[in-house]
């Protein structure tokens, strides 16, 4: 458990300063700061008190030992099939490699070497701006792609202009829409350019891939969460 990250995330979610959280919890601001930097490891009682002050409650869950995950990660070492398969699709999506896009979620994890399947829809984030909108409109005009606003049952017919594509953000739930291209389905959203730039470059067999950094990937899938936690621990150990 990353206690430092846990406390900081809870504090930020509660929109509290370190001093504000400390006052609520009845501890010093220095204690909160030390916990968030990893300089101090709080007792379970202290951690529960601080989390309660941030509006969160602690609970313990048992899960299997990580031995099975370690074996799976070790057996998967060197397997580039996820990256190679996705890179073939990217190479066909003419112009995508010129955009500061990034694949996100479990697709990013699979490309980074996690022993999980490259399940669809594949999460794709495009930098918000005219270049990405024009690229998407051009892809649709080829007839090889279809777009469907999230929450709607059928593709939008006749959406071939940049203006039409831009309206997809307004029509879809949470600004997401589905992109179907060459037997693959993507869940697409526009994000601020600075978010899309935070990406790791992975060399695929057919084209380079930009993917979400490992530490930013989140999932509700319990098995995948265990794999991600182990990979992060290994990356941290490698950095020393």
């Amino acid at each position: 458990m990353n206690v430092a990250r846990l406390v900081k995330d809870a504090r930020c979610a509660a929109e509290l300063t370190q001093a504000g959280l400390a006052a609520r919890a009845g501890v010093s601001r220095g204690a909160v700061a030390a916990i968030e930097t990893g300089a101090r490891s709080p007792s379970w009682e202290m951690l529960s008190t601080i989390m309660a002050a941030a509006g969160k409650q602690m609970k313990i869950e048992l899960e299997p030992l990580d031995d099975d995950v370690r074996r799976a990660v070790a057996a998967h070492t060197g397997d580039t099939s996820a990256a190679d398969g996705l890179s073939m699709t990217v190479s066909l999506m003419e112009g995508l490699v010129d955009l500061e896009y990034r694949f996100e979620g479990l697709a990013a994890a699979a490309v980074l070497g996690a022993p999980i399947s490259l399940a669809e829809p594949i999460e794709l984030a495009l930098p918000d701006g005219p270049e990405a909108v024009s690229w998407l409109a051009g892809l649709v005009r080829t007839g090889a792609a279809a777009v469907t606003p999230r929450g709607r049952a059928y593709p939008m017919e006749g959406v071939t202009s940049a203006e039409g594509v831009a309206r997809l953000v307004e029509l879809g739930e949470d600004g997401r829409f589905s992109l179907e291209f060459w037997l693959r389905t993507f869940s697409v959203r526009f994000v601020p350019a600075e978010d899309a730039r935070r990406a790791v470059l992975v060399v695929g067999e057919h084209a380079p891939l930009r993917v979400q950094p490992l530490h930013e990937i989140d999932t509700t899938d319990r098995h995948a969460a265990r794999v991600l936690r182990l990979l992060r621990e290994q990356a941290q150990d490698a950095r020393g």
Side-chain angles (χ1 to χ4, degrees):
M1 179 171 61
N2 189 333
V3 175
R5 179 68 178 272
L6 191 69
V7 171
K8 185 174 182 179
D9 286 351
R11 177 176 63 79
C12 291
E15 299 182 347
L16 292 170
T17 62
Q18 289 182 343
L21 178 60
R24 284 191 180 186
V27 300
S28 68
R29 190 202 67 81
V32 173
I35 292 171
E36 289 190 1
T37 59
R40 177 174 179 176
S41 297
S43 65
W44 179 265
E45 181 180 1
M46 185 179 188
L47 181 58
S48 298
T49 299
I50 290 175
M51 294 300 287
K56 305 291 184 182
Q57 65 182 21
M58 302 282 291
K59 67 178 181 178
I60 298 176
E61 289 187 4
L62 299 180
E63 62 180 23
L65 291 172
D66 285 337
D67 290 350
D68 61 324
V69 179
R70 294 181 189 280
R71 288 193 296 270
V73 170
H76 196 69
T77 300
D79 187 338
T80 62
S81 57
D84 292 340
L86 188 54
S87 72
M88 176 179 292
T89 303
V90 170
S91 69
L92 297 173
M93 302 171 82
E94 186 175 349
L96 179 60
V97 293
D98 298 323
L99 297 175
E100 290 185 316
Y101 74 94
R102 74 176 190 179
F103 292 111
E104 298 182 324
L106 295 186
V111 170
L112 288 171
I116 55 179
S117 61
L118 187 63
E120 298 185 14
I122 297 169
E123 295 184 35
L124 171 63
L126 298 175
D128 194 5
E131 291 185 0
V133 171
S134 295
W135 169 80
L136 187 57
L139 192 67
V140 173
R141 277 197 296 270
T142 66
V147 290
T148 308
R150 184 172 177 175
R152 292 175 177 253
Y154 302 101
M156 295 289 291
E157 298 294 341
V159 180
T160 58
S161 67
E163 293 78 8
V165 170
R167 286 198 61 225
L168 291 175
V169 179
E170 301 173 5
L171 293 172
E173 297 174 358
D174 302 323
R176 288 187 179 273
F177 56 93
S178 173
L179 169 66
E180 295 181 21
F181 180 85
W182 286 94
L183 303 180
R184 284 198 184 275
T185 302
F186 300 87
S187 176
V188 188
R189 67 185 184 120
F190 287 104
V191 301
E194 56 269 23
D195 291 348
R197 292 191 191 103
R198 292 199 308 273
V200 176
L201 189 65
V202 176
V203 177
E205 183 178 6
H206 305 279
L209 301 172
R210 294 172 52 85
V211 300
Q212 186 178 25
L214 187 64
H215 69 275
E216 289 188 16
I217 301 173
D218 194 15
T219 178
T220 57
D221 183 288
R222 299 187 67 174
H223 172 70
R226 293 175 62 212
V227 172
L228 289 172
R229 186 185 70 239
L230 179 61
L231 291 177
R232 287 167 183 148
E233 291 174 354
Q234 291 181 343
Q236 187 173 6
D237 291 343
R239 289 194 298 268

